[in-house]
Amino acid sequence: MISAKPTSLRTLALALFTIFTTFYLLRQPLPGRHPTALSLTPALTHSQHPSTPHGSTHRGSTKPPSIAKVSMLYGEHNEHYDLYSQAVDTHIRHAERHGYPVYVLRKGIMQDNGYWNKPAYMLALVIQELAKPEDERVEWLMWFDADSVILNPALPLSIFLPPASMSHIHFLATKDHNGLNSGMFFIRVDPWSIDFLTQTIAFPSYNPGLDLGVSMDQMAMSYLLNNSYFEEHALFMPRPWFNAYEFHHGFEGHQGDLLVHFPGLEADRWDHMRGWIQVVGDRRKKKAWEVQPSNTEYPSKVVAYWSMIRDAYAVVREAELRLESMPGSAARHDFLNRVEGLRRAIAREADREAAVWEGLTAVREGLDM
């Protein structure tokens, strides 16, 4: 059985783990230009607030939330490492342009499985930020896998984030045919995130009989996000927005998209990565991909997305009030099923506009009965 919240013993164990991890990471010496996981010092120390306030129109503020970018890159220095390094550099240049700190893990810290380095590093950074005065913290961390290349550095990350009225949303991610893809995601600097990341790391210990496959951290996150304690604070967004894939046959995105990601390409990954790195390194070619946000579909589509989510939440609240006054009957049971269907659509299928609108329509029809 997968637990939604830790029991008291689990809470103690996870708290001790968190304290140990943070102490270990913070006590190490500082590195050079690029930070390691051991220093928690950003590679970039520019202003933590992006200078271009795109995306603020749906937040009711001209000041975008502060964001830091996070990744990891370590291992044998060979041709593949060099490609990863060049890919990470495109993210660093993007961050320089918008004033985002960048944290890059340069040393493995989890011995059992390298995949656990991601949630462990993110956990340490969340704790580090929460330990600061509130006005000195970044508000969000964006994880990016090192096998991704920024295509449109003009696009600020703030454009994707929830409006201020949805401060309960702490996690934004995308899906593919396997479910959650944790190659790119946003996580809010919030105590909820400590719960989520700690339970992600502890997941195999408390579910030893569960096969988590190869991407163990990703699968652990997937299981947790199917749990009501966590799913109420998470949303999926359309994958091409900030996690567009390169397939064997080509790119699923188009000019103006934020980035290209290379999961699942096996040995073909290197040629595809090399090709895109050459594109963004060519002054003439990269101009075709760098599109000002106002000339892309992002502003209208993202605003429409959050408007849809806002409408869905409002309808759920109205339906919950109606349920309180409905007597037990077949009609109430049917209406409750409609409401549960909409809740599931919001939590698990918000990346599919049709699924949310289908749930909305069903509940609204029930309200009109």
Side-chain angles (χ1 to χ4, degrees):
M1 180 177 178
I2 300 166
S3 174
K5 294 187 70 172
T7 64
S8 57
L9 288 177
R10 291 184 184 184
T11 301
L12 176 60
L14 298 178
L16 289 173
F17 171 83
T18 299
I19 293 169
F20 173 80
T21 300
T22 307
F23 174 77
Y24 175 74
L25 294 177
L26 291 174
R27 67 186 288 271
Q28 302 297 323
L30 298 178
R33 172 178 177 260
H34 292 294
T36 70
L38 307 181
S39 72
L40 301 186
T41 302
L44 302 178
T45 56
H46 304 292
S47 166
Q48 294 179 345
H49 295 285
S51 58
T52 308
H54 296 291
S56 63
T57 55
H58 67 279
R59 294 183 55 84
S61 171
T62 58
K63 180 181 178 181
S66 55
I67 304 166
K69 301 184 74 170
V70 187
S71 191
M72 61 184 179
L73 177 61
Y74 56 87
E76 181 183 354
H77 286 230
N78 53 27
E79 181 184 4
H80 297 163
Y81 182 96
D82 290 343
L83 285 173
Y84 283 135
S85 183
Q86 291 176 67
V88 169
D89 281 345
T90 69
H91 285 271
I92 291 177
R93 291 194 295 271
H94 175 242
E96 283 184 308
R97 180 165 177 165
H98 296 282
Y100 305 138
V102 179
Y103 297 87
V104 182
L105 173 64
R106 298 282 175 172
K107 177 181 179 182
I109 53 177
M110 302 290 284
Q111 294 181 353
D112 292 341
N113 187 308
Y115 286 101
W116 299 112
N117 288 319
K118 181 188 297 186
Y121 191 35
M122 292 292 273
L123 173 61
L125 289 170
V126 170
I127 294 171
Q128 173 182 265
E129 292 302 314
L130 285 173
K132 298 177 182 177
E134 189 170 353
D135 61 351
E136 296 179 14
R137 300 172 189 165
V138 297
E139 296 177 37
W140 289 84
L141 303 176
M142 183 206 183
W143 177 270
F144 65 93
D145 276 359
D147 65 333
S148 63
V149 173
I150 290 288
L151 300 180
N152 187 5
L155 195 70
L157 300 177
S158 58
I159 200 169
F160 302 110
L161 300 183
S165 61
M166 296 185 196
S167 58
H168 69 288
I169 298 299
H170 303 318
F171 186 82
L172 298 171
T174 65
K175 295 190 300 182
D176 56 27
H177 63 285
N178 292 316
L180 168 72
N181 178 269
S182 62
M184 313 285 160
F185 63 86
F186 293 87
I187 193 164
R188 193 190 293 269
V189 173
D190 186 89
W192 178 94
S193 300
I194 294 180
D195 288 344
F196 179 67
L197 293 167
T198 304
Q199 287 208 48
T200 297
I201 298 166
F203 193 88
S205 297
Y206 296 117
N207 300 278
L210 203 58
D211 182 6
L212 296 177
V214 177
S215 300
M216 300 173 70
D217 64 314
Q218 178 173 282
M219 187 58 67
M221 286 183 175
S222 295
Y223 277 113
L224 291 174
L225 290 173
N226 284 331
N227 222 300
S228 60
Y229 176 61
F230 291 114
E231 73 176 4
E232 293 173 358
H233 301 279
L235 286 172
F236 290 104
M237 302 185 87
R239 187 179 68 243
W241 287 4
F242 58 82
N243 192 14
Y245 283 7
E246 172 87 343
F247 295 107
H248 291 282
H249 61 270
F251 183 45
E252 71 170 332
H254 55 271
Q255 290 178 347
D257 284 353
L258 176 65
L259 57 77
V260 55
H261 187 199
F262 305 89
L265 291 177
E266 307 302 337
D268 290 342
R269 170 181 294 164
W270 315 116
D271 286 340
H272 285 269
M273 284 186 69
R274 190 176 294 108
W276 279 109
I277 288 169
Q278 289 173 355
V279 167
V280 299
D282 184 291
R283 180 173 297 182
R284 180 180 59 83
K285 292 180 179 178
K286 73 178 183 180
K287 284 184 177 180
W289 291 91
E290 182 174 334
V291 182
Q292 290 302 311
S294 59
N295 294 327
T296 70
E297 296 181 339
Y298 280 111
S300 60
K301 286 190 172 182
V302 174
V303 168
Y305 173 89
W306 288 116
S307 178
M308 176 186 71
I309 297 298
R310 187 183 297 109
D311 288 348
Y313 283 142
V315 169
V316 167
R317 286 193 296 269
E318 182 180 356
E320 288 172 342
L321 291 174
R322 176 71 63 85
L323 282 166
E324 290 178 3
S325 62
M326 289 181 71
S329 64
R332 186 184 191 282
H333 181 72
D334 173 71
F335 187 55
L336 179 59
N337 284 338
R338 293 172 186 239
V339 176
E340 291 299 326
L342 177 54
R343 286 197 187 106
R344 284 193 300 273
I346 296 170
R348 302 178 188 181
E349 297 185 276
D351 57 318
R352 294 179 52 241
E353 181 181 351
V356 178
W357 282 114
E358 181 181 345
L360 265 170
T361 300
V363 175
R364 282 172 170 161
E365 289 175 350
L367 288 168
D368 292 337
M369 290 180 180

